[in-house]
Amino acid sequence: MKLVIGIAFSLIAGAVLVAPAVASASCTSRPNIFGGTDKTCTDGTKTSTRPNIFGGVDTYDRSGRKISSSRPNIFGGTDTQNRNGSTNTKTRPNIFGGSDLTNSNGQKIGSTRPNIFGGYDVLDKSGRKIQTCRPNIFGGMDCK
């Protein structure tokens, strides 16, 4: 579940397209040459995103295998599909200026909101802050 949240939060962070992969890991991201982001986490997770033809991004694991694909939805958010094309998560803007994340059944599994550092906070489904992301010198985010 945390990996799915991380992939989806990578997409709902907006223009910077970055976020944590796992709430307990610290992650750093930076822009890549493909117009997406490369993210490395202290738990060893490495992912890379690239824009796709649908206006979203494709996410790849460290071996270069595509693990998810996203596209905009009618609510102003993003739908994320797994390798097989099944929808895993959906996002939509929330009243706090961030995004709410739901699973394919519409159940809320997390959210984001802007923070005072110019980044965003990641919240679990109960609204508890589980991670804070701040801009870094590379043009990406550091999330802890």
Side-chain angles (χ1 to χ4, degrees):
M1 173 95 139
K2 288 184 180 178
L3 179 59
V4 172
I5 291 172
I7 292 169
F9 280 133
S10 293
L11 305 171
I12 60 177
V16 291
L17 299 169
V18 294
V22 179
S24 60
S26 295
C27 302
T28 298
S29 65
R30 62 176 63 188
N32 64 32
I33 62 171
F34 303 109
T37 59
D38 291 334
K39 181 175 57 173
T40 304
C41 300
T42 55
D43 67 356
T45 304
K46 289 186 179 185
T47 59
S48 180
T49 64
R50 298 178 188 174
N52 63 31
I53 62 171
F54 304 110
V57 297
D58 293 332
T59 303
Y60 299 86
D61 64 15
R62 69 175 9 168
S63 67
R65 184 180 52 166
K66 184 164 50 166
I67 55 176
S68 69
S69 185
S70 72
R71 62 178 66 193
N73 64 32
I74 62 171
F75 303 109
T78 304
D79 292 345
T80 303
Q81 295 85 26
N82 63 18
R83 287 188 292 245
N84 302 325
S86 299
T87 298
N88 284 343
T89 58
K90 297 178 180 226
T91 66
R92 61 172 38 173
N94 63 31
I95 61 171
F96 303 108
S99 296
D100 289 333
L101 176 68
T102 60
N103 63 19
S104 58
N105 297 327
Q107 298 168 319
K108 185 176 176 181
I109 56 176
S111 62
T112 64
R113 66 176 178 211
N115 63 33
I116 61 171
F117 307 111
Y120 56 93
D121 293 329
V122 179
L123 310 166
D124 67 13
K125 67 182 178 182
S126 300
R128 291 183 300 254
K129 183 167 61 169
I130 57 175
Q131 202 156 46
T132 296
C133 298
R134 301 175 184 200
N136 64 32
I137 62 172
F138 304 112
M141 291 279 173
D142 288 332
C143 300
K144 299 177 181 181

